[in-house]
Amino acid sequence: MTDASGFDDGSVLIVAFEGWNDAGEAASGAARAVRDQLELVPLVEVEPEDYFDFQFNRPTVSFDDSGERILEWPTVTLYGPPGGGPGLHVLLGTEPSRGWKTFASEVIDALTTADISGIVFLGAMLADVPHTRPISIFVSSESSELRADFELERSTYEGPVGIISVLSMAAQAAGIPSMSIWASVPHYVHNAPSPKAQLALISRLEDFVPIVVARGNLVEESAAWESGIDALAGDDDDMAAYISQLEQARDTVDSPEASGDAIAEEFERYLRKRDGKAGGEDRPGGP
């Protein structure tokens, strides 16, 4: 069962994949922030040979602490609390290239073993949205219980999907309720990470999961990201005109404050949540 403060029955899993579902690296960045803050440890790692095309997702070579060259393979890892037990878990990695049905089955088996009772999927997509406005967030669920508890919508999307949708439907079939939180990232800056979208995902995630994620430099990086795009648009009349059109379209839907004020308001919201949930501590524990 759940209440208005979020999932509260057992362990909750936060899921994000690098790749098609991760515009601006916003979703993976948000999940990684949760993993690092809670100091979660690897529990299960999928065998990359079974699910990845290495000509598409190539391994990388680097040096370890002793100076030895090592290969790092694309993979997906389930992280959990040190010592095991209930609490927030994170599933993070690269979107598989093949074997999605088998991959989904393997993940669901791992989640059952870890006694996961609910899942929050994080995603980010490229969209016709202006960078100068607050990031649009859409939350949906296939679970009628979660929709009722959190006043969520059911997605009406039809078309191509990523691994998030495949896992969501597999979880639903296995009796594990889930929700998806998606951020819209301006498509005209698709090659750059979007700290503003990551910040928006983290803020919305906190509405459902009992954690307050330390913002670190995200607020400053969000402002710098926006200023950098402003500078590019200042040198490109066509880009500036297009952004103006997107702003007008967005403003017909709602009347947001100027983005600088919105970022400041977001940081104030974080401080209020931190004081309320963590007693003033920057690093809260899991549920």
Side-chain angles (χ1 to χ4, degrees):
M1 296 295 292
T2 59
D3 61 24
S5 64
F7 297 94
D8 63 0
D9 181 12
S11 298
V12 177
L13 175 70
I14 298 168
V15 178
F17 288 90
E18 301 166 351
W20 194 76
N21 312 274
D22 192 29
E25 302 174 16
S28 61
R32 195 171 290 110
V34 173
R35 180 200 65 185
D36 294 347
Q37 178 167 309
L38 297 180
E39 298 180 354
L40 303 182
V41 298
L43 301 179
V44 180
E45 183 174 290
V46 303
E47 172 51 57
E49 196 79 18
D50 296 334
Y51 303 115
F52 293 94
D53 179 347
F54 297 132
Q55 288 186 322
F56 181 72
N57 298 114
R58 292 182 180 273
T60 59
V61 65
S62 60
F63 292 93
D64 62 16
D65 293 339
S66 62
E68 296 295 323
R69 288 168 64 85
I70 57 173
L71 277 175
E72 297 182 32
W73 299 88
T75 189
V76 177
T77 304
L78 174 65
Y79 299 88
L88 282 179
H89 289 60
V90 169
L91 184 71
L92 180 63
T94 305
E95 182 179 52
S97 307
R98 60 188 179 216
W100 283 14
K101 291 182 180 180
T102 306
F103 175 81
S105 178
E106 182 176 340
V107 168
I108 295 301
D109 287 346
L111 302 189
T112 301
T113 301
D115 197 26
I116 297 298
S117 60
I119 306 174
V120 180
F121 293 97
L122 302 180
M125 56 187 170
L126 297 176
D128 295 329
V129 294
H131 71 283
T132 53
R133 299 293 186 264
I135 296 293
S136 296
I137 298 289
F138 178 70
V139 187
S140 66
S141 176
E142 288 296 306
S143 166
S144 58
E145 180 182 358
L146 292 184
R147 291 201 302 270
D149 288 344
F150 297 116
E151 299 182 351
L152 303 179
E153 299 180 36
R154 187 180 189 184
S155 175
T156 59
Y157 171 77
E158 294 180 291
V161 298
I163 192 63
I164 284 179
S165 296
V166 174
L167 281 178
S168 175
M169 296 184 72
Q172 189 70 18
I176 305 175
S178 68
M179 65 173 64
S180 298
I181 307 176
W182 284 85
S184 295
V185 178
H187 70 86
Y188 51 88
V189 287
H190 65 278
N191 289 326
S194 176
K196 188 173 180 179
Q198 181 181 336
L199 190 64
L201 280 174
I202 287 173
S203 178
R204 197 69 175 102
L205 175 66
E206 291 172 341
D207 292 334
F208 305 107
V209 176
I211 185 176
V212 178
V213 182
R215 271 32 176 194
N217 296 323
L218 270 179
V219 175
E220 293 79 6
E221 290 172 358
S222 297
W225 174 83
E226 189 168 324
S227 297
I229 302 171
D230 286 342
L232 289 175
D235 295 329
D236 188 330
D237 292 341
D238 290 339
M239 182 179 182
Y242 177 65
I243 293 172
S244 179
Q245 292 176 359
L246 293 178
E247 290 172 337
Q248 293 174 23
R250 174 67 182 271
D251 292 346
T252 61
V253 177
D254 53 36
S255 299
E257 298 177 359
S259 60
D261 292 337
I263 291 175
E265 181 179 334
E266 153 61 26
F267 190 59
E268 292 173 0
R269 183 185 183 196
Y270 156 63
L271 292 177
R272 291 195 298 269
K273 286 183 177 179
R274 183 192 65 179
D275 293 339
K277 288 186 178 180
E281 295 294 327
D282 279 337
R283 187 181 176 279

